[in-house]
Amino acid sequence: MIWVKAKRFRCRNVCLRLALMAREGIMQDARQVGLGLLVAIVLGQSAQAQVTVDVSRITCEQYTTQRFTHMRTVNVWLSGYYAGLRNNPVVDTQALEKTADRIARFCESHRDVKLLDAVEAVAK
């Protein structure tokens, strides 16, 4: 009877160890998956960050069809560019939206015009 209790104790001890090892294995797998996701996110963001666009070459057609990048991105860049020329560090979001709408309307009827020329025409 003492032997049976010892055997039962040994079995329970071994079962607990196996369960603990399985849990640690799952945690290790989860850590590896998490690390893999983190690496994928970082690499994905760095790949996007290296795309460059020469705004002086964008035509109205490319702007309206959003072939290179989103209109909103270009609009914010244009706003910052012209604000920098005027030495104005303030961003007026309502004026930005109104100007963007006027540029889009102009570009719909003048598809071959360069975007910077369209901005100059709308600003006059």
Side-chain angles (χ1 to χ4, degrees):
M1 192 157 191
I2 295 174
W3 182 75
V4 171
K5 285 182 182 178
K7 187 175 182 183
R8 209 180 287 165
F9 176 76
R10 236 183 286 147
C11 178
R12 190 172 63 195
N13 207 10
V14 169
C15 290
L16 287 174
R17 283 185 187 167
L18 288 174
L20 184 61
M21 287 171 48
R23 189 178 299 160
E24 286 175 356
I26 290 171
M27 290 301 292
Q28 187 175 5
D29 290 345
R31 284 187 206 127
Q32 289 174 350
V33 169
L35 181 61
L37 286 173
L38 180 65
V39 168
I41 289 170
V42 169
L43 290 178
Q45 288 177 347
S46 66
Q48 287 180 340
Q50 295 188 12
V51 174
T52 59
V53 176
D54 185 357
V55 178
S56 67
R57 293 184 178 201
I58 296 177
T59 63
C60 277
E61 180 180 359
Q62 294 166 334
Y63 173 74
T64 56
T65 59
Q66 300 183 32
R67 190 172 299 161
F68 288 113
T69 188
H70 297 287
M71 278 180 158
R72 188 174 196 103
T73 304
V74 176
N75 292 336
V76 170
W77 184 90
L78 287 169
S79 173
Y81 175 75
Y82 285 104
L85 290 178
R86 292 187 309 270
N87 201 18
N88 181 9
V90 178
V91 176
D92 183 359
T93 56
Q94 291 178 344
L96 172 68
E97 293 295 327
K98 288 178 185 176
T99 305
D101 289 340
R102 291 195 331 234
I103 293 169
R105 275 188 261 120
F106 181 87
C107 281
E108 286 174 2
S109 58
H110 302 87
R111 293 199 171 270
D112 295 331
V113 175
K114 297 283 185 188
L115 180 61
L116 292 180
D117 294 336
V119 171
E120 294 294 329
V122 168
K124 288 182 181 178

